[in-house]
Amino acid sequence: MNKSIIIGVMGGGKASPKDTNAAYRLGGLIAEQGWILLNGGRNTGIMDASAKGAKDHGGLTVGILPDDNPGRASKYIDIPVITGMGSARNCINVLTSHIVVACPGGAGTLSEIALALKFNKVVILMDFDVGKLFESYIKPNIKQGTLVYTKTPEEVIAYCKKLHIQKEGVLRNFDVF
Amino acid sequence: MNKSIIIGVMGGGKASPKDTNAAYRLGGLIAEQGWILLNGGRNTGIMDASAKGAKDHGGLTVGILPDDNPGRASKYIDIPVITGMGSARNCINVLTSHIVVACPGGAGTLSEIALALKFNKVVILMDFDVGKLFESYIKPNIKQGTLVYTKTPEEVIAYCKKLHIQKEGVLRNFDVF
Amino acid sequence: MNKSIIIGVMGGGKASPKDTNAAYRLGGLIAEQGWILLNGGRNTGIMDASAKGAKDHGGLTVGILPDDNPGRASKYIDIPVITGMGSARNCINVLTSHIVVACPGGAGTLSEIALALKFNKVVILMDFDVGKLFESYIKPNIKQGTLVYTKTPEEVIAYCKKLHIQKEGVLRNFDVF
Amino acid sequence: MNKSIIIGVMGGGKASPKDTNAAYRLGGLIAEQGWILLNGGRNTGIMDASAKGAKDHGGLTVGILPDDNPGRASKYIDIPVITGMGSARNCINVLTSHIVVACPGGAGTLSEIALALKFNKVVILMDFDVGKLFESYIKPNIKQGTLVYTKTPEEVIAYCKKLHIQKEGVLRNFDVF
């Protein structure tokens, strides 16, 4: 395996069929780029769907689990990282991802968006309107700590490419330009 | 010392004079009730101001620090809890608080509001409009996992009292009713 | 409350009557010095006994709990810090303590001794022979990262005093000299 | 990639040439079995050497980093998991590993051995005498929470195979029998 980009996909443990379908397609597209998919690792909602999408398309999947055992891990996760730290693992999710994609979700997902922006990550919202709360993070030029709106998995991937994340530098520096 | 209620005060490390003044008054009122003030422990913004308010009014203050040493602790913190875990300590802030008060802040504060709601805490916003993002958490009857809007420190205290948090049960069960 | 020294008392969740009696006496002596007792916060073994000792002698007690709720907290803990992080909270136990006292215990206690030495704390063993494993940390002159053998609670307290921990500097710098 | 076994390799950030050579060989042998190598991820000592060994032999490597950025990651780590939690990440190291191998190291490594035994992992010591401290964990029949002495990388691998860790069950249940 060559060094690769890690794309974090956040989103609800409970999710609508529309949202899980989109997450599945996103996972597949991430795999097709040769990127690693990272998520919260559980066998429900956006986590399970995005991991399945990646696996069905030959990808590698990493799940950062809140539990202290792998009992609730998605079967589509290759590398279950067992933290035993509950929601404190949300920090690890976003710190480890070169780019964070947020699908619709509840309070847990919102905490991950907030933490990602605090850690100066680019956060791409996929069909998820977070209202005016984070609007100060929407900037004319994409840079670290920026929030981006998209509607579809294809748009997410286009944005990731635009960020030139394939550069070697990304892996070491977490720089996106 | 008798068993006591722990009120968590979240808010920006950078804050306007108006907001730090309000945080100082809130800290003082918390101390006057005989409650413990908990915050993120650092020597800036809402953290420093609320701790000073509590100390100037005879209170006890607990600071949950992100650093692995107490070098940036506020001098108004009696018990600096040194986590060495960065923003992962935000989980501890809200889990340890019986009630969470959120003053104006940035992404870190928003992550704490989100985590508190996820953990089924009552979150009282003090002069902090978070828009529609969390609006599904605003409920007609206050219960766990509810978001409440207030304008002043006095209103915050009134709400805390309304929650009957002086009940012994709060300490053991984190129930608010 | 004035600024005070925090003494961490580690030890088994299961403990012999002899060891819990000694832990109770140690807690009492810590309280009598006006120091704060910190431990793992649970309602069993060395944790419960040392907290009870401190409370029976007018002390203040802080418990760093592994759970995400206070259900298993000792009733002798004044300030239950709820981490939800399992054994990762062992780091917080030792980082927060100015001096770490280790009573007999199992693997959890050994991890705390190891982490404390890694964090350059003075670790005082009380009637607990850890064999040659940590012997490189036993030094002729006590300094940070040193392991000290004692037999009784009274000897522990004498050592703490010898370290001049009453100095203001301890609180801010974690220096013991 | 098929589901695979994760072998955690712990050991000092500073290490002798003899120990880093052995760690390099161990990493290579782990890779040759098709297993994933996990370690603390940094670019020094046992971590760097074992990761290099695995990469030179076509393996996949996961590093659980204490830092909040990948600046000190080994270049032989494929998946740098960024925790920002300092030594609290030691818990993640051992929870995530199906079997823990401990090479010679200091207090950090000892904390990992202790935590692994607490979490009921099999810990294989490689040319590392930990004296009588953990001797109660050496048992006639290998089971969870057991400490095993070995001398060479080859012996470590033989033990891992003996544990039938290739069974599918290991991945989901962390059972070794």
Side-chain angles (χ1 to χ4, degrees):
Chain A
M1 204 189 82
N2 289 321
K3 287 256 175 285
S4 189
I5 301 302
I6 299 175
I7 306 292
V9 177
M10 311 299 141
K14 294 175 186 172
S16 71
K18 174 170 169 267
D19 291 336
T20 50
N21 284 343
Y24 176 87
R25 281 164 50 215
L26 177 62
L29 290 170
I30 288 171
E32 286 174 2
Q33 312 305 314
W35 300 335
I36 296 169
L37 179 136
L38 177 148
N39 65 27
R42 278 198 175 156
N43 55 6
T44 58
I46 299 296
M47 292 176 276
D48 202 51
S50 60
K52 184 175 194 313
K55 289 314 297 171
D56 285 352
H57 295 79
L60 179 68
T61 55
V62 178
I64 311 290
L65 286 154
D67 312 287
D68 60 5
N69 66 73
R72 293 196 285 174
S74 166
K75 63 183 171 183
Y76 306 108
I77 290 294
D78 293 310
I79 302 174
V81 175
I82 313 296
T83 71
M85 291 184 183
S87 293
R89 73 79 149 87
N90 294 6
C91 284
I92 303 176
N93 291 356
V94 296
L95 281 172
T96 303
S97 301
H98 298 110
I99 291 180
V100 173
V101 183
C103 303
T109 305
L110 293 174
S111 78
E112 289 166 320
I113 295 170
L115 290 166
L117 293 170
K118 184 171 172 60
F119 298 148
N120 280 319
K121 300 284 176 177
V122 173
V123 178
I124 303 178
L125 298 165
M126 184 171 87
D127 200 18
F128 186 22
D129 183 0
V130 296
K132 76 171 191 176
L133 184 48
F134 293 105
E135 70 184 4
S136 66
Y137 293 96
I138 303 170
K139 292 160 192 168
N141 296 308
I142 306 300
K143 54 185 174 181
Q144 295 192 343
T146 298
L147 194 66
V148 178
Y149 274 88
T150 67
K151 276 291 179 190
T152 65
E154 290 74 18
E155 272 185 83
V156 170
I157 299 299
Y159 241 106
C160 290
K161 289 188 174 173
K162 199 167 159 185
L163 291 170
H164 296 291
I165 62 170
Q166 54 274 42
K167 285 187 195 170
E168 170 59 22
V170 175
L171 280 171
R172 296 265 81 90
N173 307 323
F174 277 20
D175 286 325
V176 288
F177 285 125
Chain B
M1 205 191 83
N2 290 320
K3 286 256 175 286
S4 191
I5 302 302
I6 299 174
I7 306 293
V9 177
M10 311 299 141
K14 292 176 187 172
S16 70
K18 174 170 168 268
D19 291 335
T20 50
N21 284 343
Y24 176 88
R25 281 163 51 215
L26 177 63
L29 290 170
I30 287 170
E32 287 175 3
Q33 312 305 313
W35 299 335
I36 295 169
L37 180 138
L38 177 148
N39 65 29
R42 278 197 176 157
N43 55 7
T44 57
I46 300 296
M47 292 176 276
D48 202 53
S50 60
K52 184 174 194 313
K55 290 312 298 172
D56 285 352
H57 295 80
L60 179 67
T61 56
V62 177
I64 311 291
L65 287 154
D67 312 287
D68 62 5
N69 67 72
R72 291 196 287 174
S74 166
K75 64 183 171 184
Y76 305 109
I77 290 294
D78 293 310
I79 302 174
V81 175
I82 312 298
T83 71
M85 291 183 183
S87 293
R89 71 80 147 89
N90 293 7
C91 284
I92 304 178
N93 290 356
V94 296
L95 281 172
T96 303
S97 302
H98 298 109
I99 292 179
V100 173
V101 183
C103 303
T109 304
L110 293 174
S111 77
E112 289 166 319
I113 295 171
L115 290 166
L117 293 170
K118 183 171 172 61
F119 298 149
N120 281 316
K121 300 285 177 177
V122 173
V123 177
I124 303 177
L125 299 165
M126 185 171 87
D127 200 19
F128 185 22
D129 183 0
V130 295
K132 74 171 193 176
L133 183 50
F134 293 106
E135 68 185 5
S136 66
Y137 293 96
I138 303 171
K139 293 159 192 169
N141 298 307
I142 306 302
K143 54 185 174 180
Q144 295 191 344
T146 299
L147 194 66
V148 178
Y149 273 90
T150 67
K151 276 292 179 189
T152 66
E154 290 75 18
E155 271 186 83
V156 170
I157 299 297
Y159 240 105
C160 291
K161 288 187 173 173
K162 199 167 161 186
L163 291 171
H164 298 291
I165 61 169
Q166 54 275 41
K167 284 187 194 172
E168 170 62 19
V170 174
L171 280 172
R172 297 265 81 91
N173 307 324
F174 275 21
D175 286 325
V176 288
F177 286 125
Chain C
M1 205 189 83
N2 290 322
K3 287 256 175 284
S4 190
I5 301 303
I6 299 175
I7 306 293
V9 177
M10 311 299 141
K14 293 176 187 172
S16 71
K18 173 169 169 268
D19 291 336
T20 51
N21 284 343
Y24 176 88
R25 281 164 50 214
L26 176 64
L29 290 171
I30 288 171
E32 286 175 3
Q33 313 304 314
W35 299 336
I36 296 169
L37 179 137
L38 177 148
N39 66 28
R42 278 198 175 157
N43 55 6
T44 57
I46 298 296
M47 292 176 275
D48 202 52
S50 60
K52 184 174 194 313
K55 290 312 297 172
D56 285 352
H57 295 78
L60 180 67
T61 55
V62 177
I64 311 291
L65 286 153
D67 313 288
D68 61 4
N69 67 72
R72 292 197 284 174
S74 166
K75 63 183 172 184
Y76 305 109
I77 290 294
D78 293 310
I79 302 174
V81 175
I82 313 297
T83 71
M85 290 182 184
S87 293
R89 71 81 148 86
N90 293 6
C91 284
I92 305 177
N93 290 356
V94 295
L95 280 172
T96 303
S97 302
H98 298 109
I99 291 179
V100 173
V101 183
C103 304
T109 305
L110 293 175
S111 78
E112 289 166 318
I113 294 170
L115 290 166
L117 292 170
K118 183 172 172 59
F119 298 149
N120 280 318
K121 300 284 176 178
V122 173
V123 177
I124 303 177
L125 298 165
M126 185 171 88
D127 200 18
F128 186 22
D129 182 1
V130 296
K132 74 171 192 177
L133 183 49
F134 293 106
E135 68 185 5
S136 66
Y137 293 97
I138 303 171
K139 293 159 191 168
N141 296 307
I142 306 302
K143 54 185 174 180
Q144 296 192 344
T146 299
L147 194 65
V148 178
Y149 274 88
T150 67
K151 276 291 177 190
T152 66
E154 290 73 19
E155 273 186 81
V156 170
I157 299 298
Y159 241 106
C160 290
K161 287 187 174 173
K162 198 166 159 187
L163 291 169
H164 297 291
I165 62 170
Q166 55 273 38
K167 283 189 194 168
E168 171 59 22
V170 174
L171 280 171
R172 297 266 81 90
N173 306 325
F174 277 20
D175 285 325
V176 288
F177 285 124
Chain D
M1 204 190 82
N2 290 320
K3 288 258 173 285
S4 190
I5 301 302
I6 299 174
I7 306 293
V9 177
M10 311 300 141
K14 292 176 189 173
S16 70
K18 173 170 169 269
D19 292 334
T20 51
N21 284 343
Y24 176 88
R25 281 164 50 216
L26 177 62
L29 290 171
I30 288 171
E32 285 174 4
Q33 312 304 315
W35 299 336
I36 295 168
L37 179 136
L38 177 147
N39 64 29
R42 278 198 175 156
N43 55 6
T44 57
I46 299 295
M47 294 176 275
D48 202 51
S50 59
K52 184 174 194 314
K55 290 312 298 171
D56 285 353
H57 295 79
L60 180 67
T61 55
V62 177
I64 311 291
L65 286 154
D67 313 287
D68 62 4
N69 67 71
R72 292 197 284 174
S74 165
K75 64 183 172 183
Y76 305 109
I77 290 294
D78 293 310
I79 302 174
V81 175
I82 313 296
T83 71
M85 290 183 184
S87 293
R89 73 80 150 86
N90 294 6
C91 284
I92 304 177
N93 290 357
V94 295
L95 281 172
T96 302
S97 301
H98 298 110
I99 292 179
V100 172
V101 183
C103 304
T109 304
L110 293 175
S111 78
E112 289 166 319
I113 295 170
L115 289 166
L117 292 170
K118 183 171 173 61
F119 298 150
N120 280 317
K121 301 283 175 179
V122 173
V123 178
I124 303 177
L125 298 165
M126 185 171 87
D127 199 19
F128 186 21
D129 182 1
V130 296
K132 74 171 193 176
L133 184 50
F134 293 106
E135 70 184 4
S136 66
Y137 294 96
I138 303 171
K139 293 159 191 167
N141 296 308
I142 305 300
K143 53 185 175 181
Q144 295 191 344
T146 299
L147 195 65
V148 178
Y149 274 88
T150 66
K151 276 292 178 191
T152 66
E154 290 73 19
E155 272 184 82
V156 170
I157 299 299
Y159 242 105
C160 291
K161 287 187 174 172
K162 198 166 160 187
L163 291 170
H164 295 292
I165 62 169
Q166 54 275 40
K167 284 187 194 169
E168 169 63 20
V170 174
L171 279 172
R172 296 266 83 89
N173 307 323
F174 276 21
D175 286 325
V176 287
F177 285 125

